[in-house]
Amino acid sequence: MNRRAFLASSAAIALAGGAYLYSQQRTSAVPEMASRPRLKMPPLLDVSETGRLDLTAQTGPTRFGDGAETNTAGFNQSYLGPTIVMKNGPLSARVENQVNEAVSVHWHGLLVPGDHDGGPHLPIAPGRIWNPDMDIKQQPSTAWYHTHIHERTAVQVYAGLAGIIHVCDGRDDDRGLPTDYGIDDLTIVLQDRRFDQNGRMTYDPGMMDIMHGFTGDTIVVNGQVRPVAAVPGGIVRLRLVNGSNARVYDLSTDDERPLHLIANDGGFLPAPLTINRLRLSPGERAEVLLDFSKGGHTTLVSAGDPNQGVGGMMGRMRRFADPLFDRSFAVLPIIVDETMPARISKIPDKLGETLPDLSPGVAATRRISLDMGMGSGMMRGMMGGFAINGRPFDPERIDLKAERGSVERWIVSSTMLAHPFHIHGVNFQVVRENGRAPRPESTGWKDTAFVDGESELLVSFDQPASREKPFMYHCHILEHEDAGMMGQFVVS
Ligand code: C2O
Ligand code: CU
Ligand code: CU
């Protein structure tokens, strides 16, 4: 059975149909904003006191904008899941699967052992319950959770099986950071989707979509089409999560308002970094502060996808499949609502701890090459060439072993396209990107890094993972991951 037939044959969340181009205007004119819906936050699920987390994967109808209902999937609701607030300490989760195919819940960004990681070796069959008893022990950060069934991750995440996690330590007030969920502390899940002429969300990847990763022509924020965020006239925190299957965002504001980058994947930077552009590839998170104390409105915009490939060759092909590929587009307008209370008026100057220097203890150096083999013809390359170090993913094969407590240098390189490279169960530091110091968004503790050429990572292996429940490392373009750009490792 070819891949397309396989996708189309799954009943629960098969999403078929053509694409329809919604207009995305780069404008932040205020009158136009009045017609837009206010950005909503995912419901908050604070488990920091109880230490008990209940999630149910389910399907249900979702309406995007004024389109017809789509059968989508989510946790505890029909699309996406609640924002889970947790703190360090014991956490017992109960995950029930009411979807009629196996799903899993991978805690992307939680440092937990392989047994609790929720990757492809921990599927939850339809009607079954998974009960991982975890112990959370890590820096405050924005993480996320999503399904991770091999060859089904792309379609299932696209259908909605993902949500956000805030790991908190209760000290953000001392840090002088905004903490009012949905007021001055906004969780923003960026996704792009295709819709048919009735406004139903569709997923029907062709070969080009597998090759580049599936991108949509409509930006969906927290599951909403064309929303506007309203914020108080002070400092506002955006927790940005790229939950798209494949799109890389190159974010900036349309009024040149600076972004103050305060946290990357694994937690706070030592101090805010003032930047004008923020590149966020699938799987990455970044927290930024924006200053609205002088009022005004801004629109978060993205430049075209930086993923042009070698010599722009992939880019030229991709233009046919992705109308947003080579131009800038609006992501989220933000307006000030004077009736909302402004609590924070200044950007803090100190945040997290300085990063330890991991280089003295490096135990091993490995080369990881993210391959899209094009050697034996384009067709084969597209459908069969996705691999790491020449080997497509094999759930029966352990690709490497790391010693628990060790640090390794991984030199990760990309061919054809740039790839967001993610490692489960670890935090790493990006020490070099193409021989230079890393971009701001690659500094601090990371678990996913956009590799465009060659990146050098120092990876710290603290969590155990067995042969039976190994950790994954993979490209976070979900179509690439499903097609085989993934490997697995044990830590002991
Ligand atoms: Cu966010 Cu292995 O995934
Ligand atoms: Cu992960
Ligand atoms: Cu990739």
Side-chain angles (χ1 to χ4, degrees):
M1 195 173 3
N2 71 28
R3 179 180 181 83
R4 195 163 161 143
F6 179 54
L7 288 166
S9 68
S10 93
I13 48 178
L15 302 155
Y20 175 75
L21 177 63
Y22 273 71
S23 68
Q24 289 281 345
Q25 289 166 14
R26 187 181 180 178
T27 166
S28 58
V30 170
E32 197 254 339
M33 295 304 147
S35 66
R36 290 181 176 228
R38 284 269 174 116
L39 177 71
K40 294 199 208 77
M41 293 294 107
L44 202 61
L45 182 59
D46 188 341
V47 303
S48 58
E49 291 311 315
T50 63
R52 305 196 72 87
L53 167 61
D54 266 294
L55 290 176
T56 301
Q58 57 194 62
T59 54
T62 300
R63 213 181 272 287
F64 295 90
D66 46 22
E69 282 178 348
T70 307
N71 189 26
T72 55
F75 294 99
N76 303 359
Q77 56 186 13
S78 71
Y79 187 78
L80 295 178
T83 297
I84 303 167
V85 179
M86 58 176 69
K87 65 176 185 202
N88 283 349
L91 177 65
S92 316
R94 177 187 186 279
V95 186
E96 185 174 338
N97 180 12
Q98 290 180 359
V99 176
N100 65 6
E101 65 178 67
V103 304
S104 78
V105 177
H106 166 54
W107 318 102
H108 180 144
L110 292 189
L111 297 170
V112 296
D115 287 350
H116 301 150
D117 172 72
H121 294 278
L122 286 155
I124 313 168
R128 305 301 287 267
I129 291 164
W130 179 50
N131 280 303
D133 273 324
M134 301 183 279
D135 192 24
I136 307 302
K137 191 163 180 281
Q138 61 185 74
Q139 299 294 315
S141 52
T142 300
W144 63 309
Y145 57 100
H146 61 79
T147 181
H148 208 311
I149 299 296
H150 186 49
E151 294 179 327
R152 297 295 292 166
T153 301
V155 66
Q156 291 185 351
V157 170
Y158 190 91
L161 287 169
I164 306 308
I165 297 172
H166 297 176
V167 181
C168 298
D169 65 356
R171 295 190 40 236
D172 280 359
D173 288 329
D174 306 338
R175 292 186 181 97
L177 292 174
T179 54
D180 282 346
Y181 186 65
I183 308 286
D184 60 9
D185 181 359
L186 307 187
T187 290
I188 294 175
V189 184
L190 300 178
Q191 297 179 312
D192 56 331
R193 294 292 185 261
R194 290 184 201 170
F195 293 89
D196 67 13
Q197 60 275 28
N198 299 313
R200 278 196 199 91
M201 189 171 86
T202 61
Y203 185 76
D204 184 18
M207 278 194 293
M208 285 295 242
D209 298 313
I210 306 293
M211 189 167 74
H212 303 128
F214 190 91
T215 49
D217 46 45
T218 303
I219 302 304
V220 172
V221 182
N222 296 353
Q224 277 177 283
V225 176
R226 290 170 61 78
V228 55
V231 299
I235 305 294
V236 173
R237 176 183 192 172
L238 308 183
R239 301 179 189 245
L240 298 161
V241 179
N242 186 344
S244 306
N245 281 29
R247 184 176 295 285
V248 181
Y249 298 85
D250 185 358
L251 299 168
S252 59
T253 56
D254 71 345
D255 64 346
E256 267 141 51
R257 195 178 303 247
L259 306 167
H260 303 274
L261 180 67
I262 59 167
N264 285 332
D265 304 339
F268 292 118
L269 303 180
L273 292 174
T274 302
I275 57 176
N276 295 312
R277 294 180 88 126
L278 172 71
R279 195 165 68 184
L280 205 64
S281 69
E284 289 188 292
R285 290 88 64 210
E287 294 185 34
V288 296
L289 301 179
L290 285 177
D291 187 354
F292 288 93
S293 56
K294 294 194 192 72
H297 55 85
T298 192
T299 296
L300 218 51
V301 295
S302 175
D305 198 317
N307 207 349
Q308 298 279 340
V310 180
M313 196 267 283
M314 299 292 272
R316 284 194 298 278
M317 287 196 276
R318 188 164 157 194
R319 196 164 297 146
F320 298 108
D322 181 356
L324 300 182
F325 176 63
D326 54 359
R327 64 185 181 97
S328 55
F329 54 91
V331 172
L332 180 69
I334 307 173
I335 56 170
V336 172
D337 178 344
E338 301 293 349
T339 67
M340 292 169 86
R343 233 167 35 87
I344 311 280
S345 56
K346 110 178 215 312
I347 307 282
D349 37 44
K350 225 189 97 34
L351 292 163
E353 282 150 33
T354 7
L355 253 60
D357 180 2
L358 299 180
S359 54
V362 172
T365 296
R366 300 182 199 267
R367 292 196 167 266
I368 308 279
S369 139
L370 306 173
D371 302 326
M372 288 174 72
M374 302 287 277
S376 41
M378 190 74 102
M379 297 296 281
R380 217 200 90 115
M382 278 186 258
M383 305 310 287
F386 290 92
I388 293 183
N389 291 344
R391 300 197 292 188
F393 180 67
D394 176 353
E396 307 298 322
R397 183 190 69 228
I398 299 297
D399 296 282
L400 54 95
K401 297 186 176 63
E403 194 184 326
R404 193 171 176 195
S406 72
V407 171
E408 294 189 1
R409 182 187 314 276
W410 285 21
I411 299 169
V412 188
S413 56
S414 62
T415 52
M416 302 295 299
L417 278 176
H419 303 276
F421 181 68
H422 171 51
I423 314 178
H424 287 210
V426 303
N427 268 168
F428 58 74
Q429 294 175 18
V430 181
V431 288
R432 309 290 286 166
E433 281 177 336
N434 297 319
R436 288 189 294 275
R439 302 160 62 95
E441 51 273 65
S442 303
T443 61
W445 289 112
K446 296 283 292 174
D447 56 52
T448 307
F450 190 56
V451 176
D452 188 3
E454 185 178 278
S455 297
E456 188 180 322
L457 320 179
L458 294 180
V459 190
S460 166
F461 297 91
D462 297 322
Q463 296 294 324
S466 66
R467 238 171 197 287
E468 292 66 44
K469 305 281 183 268
F471 285 137
M472 304 293 129
Y473 54 97
H474 59 87
C475 173
H476 220 288
I477 291 178
L478 301 182
E479 287 75 19
H480 292 180
E481 170 189 339
D482 279 346
M485 198 181 280
M486 180 156 75
Q488 49 186 8
F489 65 101
V490 299
V491 183
S492 59

